[in-house]
Amino acid sequence: MNERKVVGNTAMLYIMTIAKLIFPLLTLPYLTRVLSEESYGFVSYVKSCMTYIQLIVDFGFILSSVKDIVKADNNKEKIGTIVGNTFLAKFILVLLSAVVLVVMLFTIKILQTDILFVILSFVAVATSLFLADFLFRGIEKMQYITIIYVISKGISVALTFIFVRSDDSLIWIPILDIVTNFVAVLITFLIVKRLEINIKVSSIKDCLLMIKDSFFYFLSSVATTAFSALNTLLIGIFITDLTQIAYWSLCLNIVTAIQGLYAPICNGVYPHMIKERNLKFIHKLLAIFMPVVVCGCVLCFFLASTALNIIGGEKYVAAYSLFRWMIPILFFSFPAQIYGWSTLGAIGKVKETTLSTIIAAVAQVAGLLVLIVINKFTLVNLAILRGGTEFILMAVRMVIAYKNRNLFQSDNQFYSEKER
């Protein structure tokens, strides 16, 4: 029954992931055609900056709060307190992230191109603090996440075609993000009410303690972001060519979209692994999906030009070589994700999981510094470096899992406990 629940939850997350693929496939080709390369590059750059702001607001609660809710064992009073404390903790972090935004505006010249656009993008991130994906993951009701996303994002996509027509209407992009999040928050609270969960805050002290407990999850998220958003930020600082930023962002968007296909598996397995700790279940997933990943990588290599032409338009076909150099990221990232929170996090190896990400991030940052020092800071070299650090992440996590294999249940333990 538990494994069927995992399959059901994973299926719902896959529906959402497909929606996350379809919606960008509708808007991305549209935006790359109605916007100039410079404007699309600016939008992509701001979104990369907002990724860091979003990390501060989320602060790893998508993992730590999920774990707390799972341990609450369907006690609605405890769950309501966890949700309330998480919301207040996020609000505190929104205030902190506002300070970070001011620093970014003063230090990053590209952001000064359109300050109002940047501020509205920040408001969109701030409104996301009341989204309760962590709640629905914790109670294993993934269908609610899918419903919320599809409805809110569907509205945003429709309005994008109506209001965003050229570079002159660029400001509508963050405004529509705000509208999307507002709709999502409204639906979230309606569902929470239907579930008869009363949201309440125990104390500010508990919220601060929650932030403290989530710190290692946050470090892991920050380190993970060093693999993608940091590259874009540095491109804006050391290359400053918005067309190059546009090329990099489009290729990275495609890679990220494909990686998004991995997330439902990892997210669907995580609550199950917390309860069961069955390592053979992870091995079965790898045996099933790695051949699919390999086939996908081969297709990406041969269809690179075609994909860029369809998604971005003819003016982005020149980036096909860059996209090909990003393919190793797709190969290594699936096992790296599976052996991460879904495996190590499930047996309480939070520090080790975070450490693995930090090790890979340090390698990434060191590689970036070397490229800057030797004056080889190019898009292709960035792509090669990114693939190498993804391999490091995978290898470190596999070694940690092997060294801690005694903490997983053997098949005999697993089935005997199920029988009891």
Side-chain angles (χ1 to χ4, degrees), residues 6-23 62 131-137 140-155 180 183-184 187-188 191 263-264 267-268:
V6 171
V7 172
N9 286 328
T10 302
M12 291 306 301
L13 287 175
Y14 252 112
I15 292 173
M16 185 178 73
T17 300
I18 291 171
K20 283 185 175 182
L21 288 173
I22 291 175
F23 287 138
I62 196 64
L131 296 178
D133 285 8
F134 61 90
L135 166 63
F136 304 131
R137 293 181 194 275
E140 297 187 75
K141 298 290 185 181
M142 311 301 188
Q143 67 269 27
Y144 293 135
I145 302 175
T146 302
I147 292 170
I148 292 170
Y149 178 82
V150 170
I151 294 176
S152 60
K153 197 63 179 179
I155 294 172
T180 298
V183 172
I187 299 173
T188 295
I191 293 174
N267 293 333

Side-chain angles (χ1 to χ4, degrees), residues 42-52 117 121 173-174 177 229:
F42 173 72
V43 171
S44 300
Y45 191 77
V46 172
K47 286 186 179 295
S48 294
C49 293
M50 289 305 114
T51 299
Y52 282 100
F117 185 98
S121 297
I173 294 176
D177 287 338

